[in-house]
Amino acid sequence: MKLNRKWLRTVICFGLVTALAFSFVACGRDKQEEDPPTPKPPVQKMEIADYVKSLSEDEYTVENLTDSYGLSDPANVGVRKEGRSKGMYEIPADSQFSEDAIFDVEDYISKGKSDTEALTAVINDAKDFQKNGGKVKIKLPDRDLNIDRNSSGLADTTYTLSVAGFDGLYIQGGENTVLTINTGSSWLGGLSFTDCTDLHLENVRLDYSVLPALAGTVKASDKDALTVTMTVPETQQASLAALSSSQALGGTLYSYIEYDQYTSAPKEGGAFLIRDENVFESVTFSAPATVTVKFKESYRSSFTKPRNGDIVALGFAMYGKNGINFSDCKDVYVENCAVYTCPGMAITVSGVENFYANRFDVALKDDRIMTATADGYHLQACLGEVKITNSIIENTHDDALNIKSGYYYSLNTVDPVARTLTISKKTGAIALPKAGETLKVYAQTDFAERGSFTVESAVAEGASYVVTVKERIKGDVDWTKCVVTNVSAVPRFTFSDNIVRNKRNRGILVQIPGSVVENNTFENVGQGAIMIHSSLDIFNEATMPSDIAVRNNKLINNGYLLYNALRGSIAVFAIAEGGIVAPSGTVSGISIENNFISNSGNAGISLRGVGAPDSAISSNLFYNTGRVSASEMTECAVELENVNEIELVNNYNYNTLGSETFVGINTAGTTDTKTIVLKDNYNLRYKEYDGEVPQIDVFKLDKDVIKIDGDISDWNDVGTAIEMNGSSLATGDEINPADYADVFGVEVARIAWTDEGLYFGFKVRDNKPDYASVLDFWNGDCVEIFMSTVIDMPNADMQLYRNKGDVLQMAFAPTWAGGFTFGNSRTSDKFIDGKAQMRVAVKTVSDGYSGEIFIPFTLADGMKTCIDEGKPVAMAFIFADADRDELNRKRLQVGNVPHFVENYKTKTEKMPQFNFKNGQK
């Protein structure tokens, strides 16, 4: 209040002085002089709630925002609206072409040809004209054109219209031009351009006469019968009739996705099912407007009746038959075009050098609920520039956009003398590397960089490439199990002023370096908005996406479909084989600035494997992030896993959800907070540690009470029971023990000690054992033990300090040689080197498996020192049950740490501390 009064006094004094000055001046000045303008009143501070509301009202930038609340340029956040009405690549007027180089489809139609025949003839005549050189212009009628597969002289096995070999092709429609594809009794792609240079499209839109996805309004559902019955609107009844009459069109249901009837966005908490999940029993069509889906018995436990009136997208196609395709072209320009639907990806771009698209939409039409049945844009192996601007991508089944340069190759052999690398395809093919390009080699197991090489020459030998490099190949590097990627064969990618909304899967996937994502709006994107990543998974898509700017974007209500959702609305990560997060700095040069991130399901921003140089999170406004989070780890504004040497500067975190577990910044893995710069942030802090964990006393046994043979009968009333405290699914959901008690249970879990070492015994009841290998034990049934004498770094992953004390991660299963393995990244080297001293026996029993473990103090001398000094040792005991497809349930972990078990088992924050006592209990 004192400040307000002081301000008021200053204004009053200034006003009086000014008034007196003007009165004196006015007495002596010329009467024709005008009075100076009245000073503007001081700008009033906008409250944060009103500020957030203004930013959230629509997709576009907001003028007159006072204050910043973290944002460095608040008036420049969101889509710049004027771009939707401005052309960037408009086709020149007819006067810019020779008269005989203009081909008007309407002229051909007037001579008795059908739409399809006329367009086919025009393309063929234009191609003949180009044999003598010169650009050509094709003019399309300003109306719907019926393009029939059976009448198309340009149809092939993939596309209804295949256009190839042009140099200087300009295709121009009008404001109402739509190519409506009729593929007959089976699905086929729409329009394809191959081996074209200087290609221009303007005002061309693509649609299908038979829709590959219906929008059904729920009118009834029956939990006992496992059925949902829907009606489709009148505009889709002809499609329903066509689907019902053709096995190739409507015989297979590929997807069932529930949408909210009020927002047209995928429904939070709704069903999102695809054919691969094997839950569809049948689809029944009833003319003219009814369709019923019946689910299999295996889906009963997951079946939830939808609300009457909700919308369901029923997809009868998914991949393979794309809308508009560009392959092996150069200098492609697209202006004010659209794909309304297609039985596959809407727009595919492969091997194109320089691709420019402005107002190239994947957009809803009429009363539909799905556009493409797969991705919106899918771009691969492009060069030069790729720019996508001022476009709308909405309601696609899969990703709105995926851009990648190619695939990781396996490193087969290395010859340091000849300076050669022999590489071969893992999943997809890449072009033969060229001289001067740069190849990077990464360890497949953890994505650690092994080397960077300049190509001197490359030759194909059978299915492999043999690459000679300029640099010396070090002989002391472990080149086994490595992958190779070409980091030079990538385009410069810009994605700006686009709207991505109301879709099931992710927004954009950026898998190339040197990209800019700016002034876009992502809204209601179910599994997360922006994914910048590289992963060694089943796809092995490359390359490492460093040096990327994400700025001036609005991200509103994304990532709320928690199953398979990104860990943040903006998620940047590198994942090696088996889901291992890459070391810090594997991804670098990441700048995330001046973004508004609101109501995200998980974290606002998630970084994993990111670090120096030049990575920063700055001037962002976070509002109610982590609102339905998959776990406490992502119930935050910022998640940092294996992240070091970055800056978080001038960010503002505003959270009104009242959650006791929400935190500004969550850390995990090898993240070392001492290397991270925090400066001028508001309400953005690390998790505070309360230090309260269960204290458990373990009393010493006499020697030779326990025999290590896997038979736990000698544990009756021996040692200390380990109580289970948390039960979690891999999806992040907590599960009640009663919900799995009939198939799985921890019957015995006990710990003891003697002067010689530590003893553990366990018995697991499991009606369906499903063990993975020691290379991927985290996917199957097993028992894990985590132990640490380091307890003063509670928020850090054990990886960070594994050699600063006695730190151990072991896993046990009866099918492994020796019965156990180490988690090397969380185990002190001395345990790995002294593996032979461990005594382990694990065996199968009639209803599961049991085991006994002895860890000698000759190896665990640090633990013995803690015992002698009366200090506790932190320990977590985890019992895992693999995926249960028959129960529609993901992998379960039960442990003595709380839910979410996966997060708390690898750090001591919530890990019980065991105090080893002399004497009997």
Side-chain angles (χ1 to χ4, degrees), residues 637 651-655 662-665 680-685:
N651 299 285
Y652 193 103
N653 176 37
Y654 175 53
N655 195 288
F662 177 86
V663 66
I665 306 171
D680 297 331
N681 299 292
Y682 176 82
N683 197 27
L684 197 66
R685 297 180 293 274

Side-chain angles (χ1 to χ4, degrees), residues 532 545-548 572 587-592 607 610 613-617:
I532 299 167
S546 295
D547 302 317
I548 291 178
V572 186
V587 180
S588 62
I590 300 298
S591 174
I592 302 175
L607 305 185
V610 177
D614 305 323
S615 291
I617 298 172

Side-chain angles (χ1 to χ4, degrees), residues 367-382:
D367 40 18
R368 304 173 189 177
I369 199 67
M370 182 182 287
T371 52
T373 63
D375 294 6
Y377 282 76
H378 194 93
L379 306 100
Q380 64 177 348
C382 295

Side-chain angles (χ1 to χ4, degrees), residues 142-189:
D142 189 21
R143 59 172 177 82
D144 281 357
L145 282 82
N146 179 33
I147 306 301
D148 185 79
R149 167 190 194 166
N150 296 323
S151 302
S152 173
L154 299 173
D156 57 24
T157 57
T158 308
Y159 289 95
T160 306
L161 292 170
S162 290
V163 181
F166 279 87
D167 186 356
L169 173 62
Y170 295 70
I171 300 178
Q172 186 178 52
E175 290 300 319
N176 302 298
T177 300
V178 180
L179 303 181
T180 301
I181 306 296
N182 179 4
T183 66
S185 59
S186 62
W187 298 118
L188 196 65

Side-chain angles (χ1 to χ4, degrees), residues 2 13 35 61 75 234 258 260 275 311 326 350 453 464 470 486 544 587 628 817 851 921:
K2 290 181 179 178
C13 290
D35 290 335
T61 55
E234 185 177 352
E258 294 178 1
D260 190 283
R275 182 190 179 207
I311 311 299
F326 305 89
S350 178
F453 301 97
S464 301
K470 293 183 178 180
N486 187 339
M544 197 61 65
V587 180
V628 292
K921 184 174 180 181

Side-chain angles (χ1 to χ4, degrees), residues 259-319:
Y259 284 76
D260 190 283
Q261 59 184 298
Y262 303 107
T263 65
S264 296
K267 182 181 175 182
E268 189 165 333
F272 305 94
L273 306 171
I274 59 175
R275 182 190 179 207
D276 290 350
E277 294 175 294
N278 196 30
V279 296
F280 304 135
E281 178 73 32
S282 63
V283 179
T284 303
F285 300 99
S286 300
T290 302
V291 58
T292 299
V293 176
K294 181 175 176 59
F295 297 93
K296 291 187 175 181
E297 184 63 30
S298 60
Y299 186 62
R300 181 173 296 280
S301 62
S302 300
F303 182 86
T304 300
K305 292 180 62 172
R307 294 179 302 186
N308 287 354
D310 274 350
I311 311 299
V312 177
L314 300 172
F316 293 92
M318 190 170 287
Y319 297 103

Side-chain angles (χ1 to χ4, degrees), residues 425-458:
K425 182 175 71 173
K426 287 175 67 68
T427 49
I430 61 172
L432 183 71
K434 299 176 182 177
E437 293 181 336
T438 299
L439 302 183
K440 285 201 173 184
V441 182
Y442 297 94
Q444 187 167 312
T445 52
D446 64 1
F447 244 140
E449 186 174 329
R450 291 285 191 258
S452 179
F453 301 97
T454 306
V455 177
E456 189 172 272
S457 63

